[in-house]
Structures are given as structure tokens and as C-alpha cells.
Amino acid sequence: MNYLHTAEILYTNNTIYSNYAVLLSEDGIVLEFNFTKKIKGYYDKEIKHQILMPGVINCHTHLTDSFHKKQVSGGEGLVNWVRNLINSRNLNLQTEDQLKKSVEFILNEMMFSGTVAIGEVSNDFKTINAIIDSRINCLFNYELTGFKESNYNAVIANSKLKIIELQNQNNDFKKDNLNWVYSAHAPYSVSLNLLKLIKDENNKRGGKTFQHLAEDSQERKLYINGNGEFVDLLKYFNAFDENWIFPKVSPIQLYNEFELLDENYVGVHLTDCTANEIEMLSTCNCYGVLCPITNLHITKKLPPFEEIIKNKLKFGLGTDGLGSNWSSNVFDEAKLLLENWYGLAPGILLKSLTSIGAEILGFNSLGKFQVGNNCGMISIETNTINNDLKSLEEGIILNPTTRNSINFLKMY
């Protein structure tokens, strides 16, 4: 069966089309994309919408924390929150089945809200079976840590063995809608040589390297002064390198000096970035991923969004995990940004939710309507809509009366 979805307004890739239609096959493939009157293909059923847009991309998730019913206590900085998170995990130990059910529930919430792809981040593979079963598109970030410079070769060698073991156990790990990369946890937990090696491995596989970056001011203090809260945290885990010579510059400046910043580097959070650092990331063609609800909860700060926009740094949005976020809906991240920066050039957030997010995760068939592809769709109704990009964005993000996923995963 074919389905004709007609729309008063259709959004794709920051372009608005009036009285447009998308002809879909039963499995969600776009057969035609044209003015409604010009659609020539056969269809069994017509479905009318006020607004249609592609499914959205959640670039940064931590599904391991899906069992949390509320945010872990925050507001006193990242190190204090990490301690609280560890305590919460220890007090709420999950069996494999319990965690799988929690992850399945959150994935269903995400897909119901129109999410068609996620960037999952984990240092183990406990969430992978639920992700595979959901059939959502996923770039799995296998997160590595190792601050001690002497350990970096062993970290990579051990991670390769674990990937091979997983692939041998689970053929589904090789499906087209599931890809993986190594990710570097953060500057305070990953040595310079380990980051270099992670980037080399990802470059060989054609993937980007993701890293939590400038999430808290204590990260800068560690690199510039060689002290602060992260020293104590690393020593607590027996992970501090006593021979480490702190570079006296921020991680971003250090990475730039070693030519690690490029189009294959993605900095996540960027909350503590200076204007010069945002400019540096943009000049090097890096990407960013913003998780503003998490940042506000943990550090009471938002990322320097004016500088991100001013320097045209490409960015996606992510919901992080339920240990730091009350929502699994990436639209809520866009809403927080739009409410705080109301004078944005129109379309920036819609594009970050769709085509830029897809670009960051490497799913080129998602984020925009293209004949032959299956990007999922969202049907939206709003009372505050005019046929211009600014009011459309506000209607979709701030004032939807309904927002229904027409997800290719569970379409009809």
C-alpha cells in the first residue's frame, strides 16, 4: 500500500513548501515529493496534515540512566553531580532485564515524539539490545577513558577485543541503521595520546570523534593550573597521572595546537567555552552538540549560544541522560534555547534538529525529504502559524497543539 501525506506547510532543510505532499510506500520510502496537484503516483489512502517535517535527531543520549525517575541532585558543578550520579547508580542497581525495560520505555518515548536517530554514548554494551530491538537509527559511541599516558595503547587494544566479541555474538550490530565509533569521554579523563589514537581509529572507519568538552569550568582549571576538583576525582578512581605535566592552556587550545580539531571532531556541551574557543572550533570546521537542559541543571549555566551563532558553528541537540534531564524529547532542548534567545535568525534550531543532526551522526538519508529515502515524519498542528520560517519554527517548537510521530518504525 502507498500513502499520500498532504500538508498545508511542509518543512525540509530550512525551506518551506505550501500545499505539498509526500507519497510514501508501506515501509516509509519517499516515492514522490512535490506539489499536491502534481503527484502522479498511485496511492491507497490520503492523510491530511497542517504541517509536516522530517523526523528529528537526538545527537547525544545516555540510555544507561533510563531507570532514573528524576534528575540526580545538581547545581553545584559537574564533579559534585558525578559523585551524586555514582551514588544513585549504586543505590539503584539494575538487572539486565530491568535496564532493558527502562531503555525500551525511553526509546518508545523518543520515537513517539518524532525522534528517528540517536547518538548513544556508553562505556559498555548494556543498552545495545534494546536499541537493536527498537529499530531506531543509532550511532553507538563506545566511550573510552584513560588519563594515564602510559595506558593508551592498552585501552585501544582492549576495546578492539570487546568490539570483536560483540560482533561475533550479535550479527545485528552490523545492520545499516546501527553504526559505531569510539568516543573520547572528556579532557579530564582521556590523555592526549589516547585522543589521538581514538581519532586515528575513527578516521580509518570514516567516523567522527565525539567528546564531552568544556562542560564545567573545573576542566579549564585542571589544564591551566594543574589542580582543582578533577584532580581529587581522578585520584579517587586511581586514574590520575602523577607524571602529567599540565599544559597551561585550555583543552581546546591544546587540541588545536596538535591539529586534532577538524570536521571529524564533535565537542559535546561547550558550556564553559570562551568566545575565542568557539571561534577556534568553527574555524577548524568542528561540530558541536548542545544539551542545555542538562547544563542548566548541573552547572546552572547555558552554552554561549550567541557566540555559537555568531561564529556559525554547526551544532546538533541532545538530551543527555535522565540523571541530568527531566525529558527525553529533543524538542525540549530547542524550546529552552529559543525561549532564552528569542531573536535568533529563523530556522537555526529546526535545522539543528533535522539535517545538521543527521550530518553529525552520519545518517545522510535522514533529516530531509529525498526520493528513495526513509527519514520518518512528524505531523504538527499549531494555532500560531504563518507561512514564514520564523513563525513556523515558533509554532513547531514553542506552541504545538499536537505533535505526532509518523515514524517509519511503527507506521501503519
Side-chain angles (χ1 to χ4, degrees):
M1 296 181 71
N2 294 342
Y3 298 84
L4 182 68
H5 292 268
T6 62
E8 296 174 32
I9 296 174
L10 186 144
Y11 168 87
T12 181
N13 208 22
N14 260 17
T15 303
I16 295 175
Y17 297 92
S18 296
N19 298 314
Y20 240 64
V22 183
L23 181 62
L24 294 182
S25 67
E26 190 168 16
D27 56 357
I29 301 294
V30 176
L31 303 175
E32 285 188 63
F33 167 57
N34 208 334
F35 287 105
T36 302
K37 293 181 179 180
K38 292 187 177 182
I39 295 288
K40 297 178 181 178
Y42 170 81
Y43 56 90
D44 299 277
K45 184 177 180 180
E46 180 179 349
I47 305 166
K48 297 182 179 180
H49 309 271
Q50 183 188 22
I51 303 167
L52 279 179
M53 67 176 287
V56 294
I57 317 297
N58 189 335
C59 291
H60 188 77
T61 66
H62 289 282
L63 292 173
T64 303
D65 290 311
S66 295
F67 66 89
H68 282 103
K69 303 302 180 186
K70 62 179 182 179
Q71 293 159 290
V72 173
S73 178
E76 297 178 351
L78 182 60
V79 172
N80 189 71
W81 177 82
V82 167
R83 294 183 188 278
N84 292 339
L85 179 68
I86 292 168
N87 289 337
S88 176
R89 286 176 175 175
N90 289 337
L91 288 172
N92 297 279
L93 293 175
Q94 302 283 293
T95 66
E96 187 175 322
D97 286 342
Q98 286 174 327
L99 179 60
K100 189 171 188 288
K101 287 178 181 177
S102 297
V103 174
E104 286 171 344
F105 180 81
I106 296 304
L107 285 170
N108 281 330
E109 277 195 341
M110 288 180 176
M111 290 187 289
F112 183 78
S113 68
T115 300
V116 294
I118 60 172
E120 167 65 345
V121 184
S122 181
N123 53 22
D124 57 40
F125 303 107
K126 292 178 181 178
T127 62
I128 198 68
N129 287 329
I131 292 170
I132 290 170
D133 290 347
S134 75
R135 296 172 57 209
I136 196 168
N137 295 284
C138 175
L139 177 66
F140 189 88
N141 285 246
Y142 181 25
E143 188 173 69
L144 305 183
T145 60
F147 190 73
K148 295 181 179 180
E149 285 290 4
S150 59
N151 290 351
Y152 66 94
N153 281 315
V155 170
I156 288 291
N158 186 49
S159 69
K160 287 182 176 180
L161 290 175
K162 289 182 177 180
I163 288 287
I164 291 170
E165 182 181 0
L166 179 67
Q167 290 175 328
N168 289 337
Q169 292 174 350
N170 196 332
N171 288 328
D172 287 333
F173 194 64
K174 304 171 185 177
K175 285 188 173 180
D176 291 341
N177 67 318
L178 178 65
N179 202 354
W180 68 273
V181 290
Y182 293 114
S183 75
H185 176 250
Y188 58 81
S189 59
V190 171
S191 70
L192 185 64
N193 280 327
L194 179 55
L195 177 58
K196 289 178 182 177
L197 205 50
I198 288 171
K199 279 208 84 225
D200 286 345
E201 291 293 330
N202 286 334
N203 287 344
K204 290 174 188 175
R205 301 188 67 255
K208 294 181 174 60
T209 295
F210 295 73
Q211 185 178 35
H212 298 88
L213 184 69
E215 192 172 357
D216 186 281
S217 60
Q218 288 293 322
E219 179 181 289
R220 184 182 305 278
K221 189 173 183 180
L222 172 68
Y223 270 67
I224 292 178
N225 300 326
N227 56 24
E229 296 176 5
F230 278 121
V231 173
D232 295 333
L233 186 68
L234 288 168
K235 286 182 177 179
Y236 174 79
F237 287 110
N238 192 30
F240 186 67
D241 189 343
E242 297 291 351
N243 297 317
W244 183 59
I245 301 174
F246 60 94
K248 299 182 181 180
V249 295
S250 75
I252 294 174
Q253 186 172 339
L254 181 69
Y255 296 167
N256 188 48
E257 291 173 4
F258 280 87
E259 298 182 348
L260 293 171
L261 302 180
D262 55 26
E263 68 279 2
N264 290 320
Y265 181 87
V266 185
V268 181
H269 293 298
L270 310 182
T271 322
D272 189 57
C273 275
T274 65
N276 287 340
E277 288 169 342
I278 293 295
E279 182 181 10
M280 196 178 297
L281 291 169
S282 180
T283 300
C284 293
N285 297 315
C286 300
Y287 292 86
V289 173
L290 309 182
C291 308
I293 295 176
T294 282
N295 304 144
L296 202 57
H297 176 71
I298 293 176
T299 63
K300 296 183 178 179
K301 289 179 63 177
L302 290 172
F305 201 48
E306 298 97 333
E307 295 299 328
I308 290 169
I309 299 303
K310 174 184 173 183
N311 286 283
K312 299 180 180 179
L313 178 68
K314 285 186 176 182
F315 69 92
L317 298 174
T319 56
D320 213 58
L322 291 184
S324 59
N325 198 334
W326 52 267
S327 173
S328 60
N329 186 346
V330 74
F331 276 108
D332 289 323
E333 306 293 332
K335 184 173 186 287
L336 179 59
L337 291 174
L338 192 53
E339 287 173 339
N340 280 272
W341 285 277
Y342 192 71
L344 286 173
I348 287 174
L349 291 171
L350 285 180
K351 196 168 185 180
S352 73
L353 284 166
T354 54
S355 57
I356 298 298
E359 186 178 327
I360 289 172
L361 294 190
F363 290 110
N364 296 326
S365 64
L366 302 181
K368 54 187 177 294
F369 292 115
Q370 288 180 313
V371 172
N373 287 341
N374 185 339
C375 65
M377 293 195 303
I378 306 172
S379 174
I380 300 152
E381 290 189 8
T382 176
N383 294 324
T384 58
I385 186 65
N386 293 305
N387 198 0
D388 66 88
L389 195 52
K390 179 177 171 56
S391 64
L392 178 68
E393 186 169 59
E394 291 171 4
I396 290 173
I397 295 174
L398 297 180
N399 305 303
T401 55
T402 61
R403 203 193 278 141
N404 297 320
S405 172
I406 310 171
N407 202 317
F408 63 94
L409 307 174
K410 297 180 178 180
M411 264 190 57
Y412 301 109

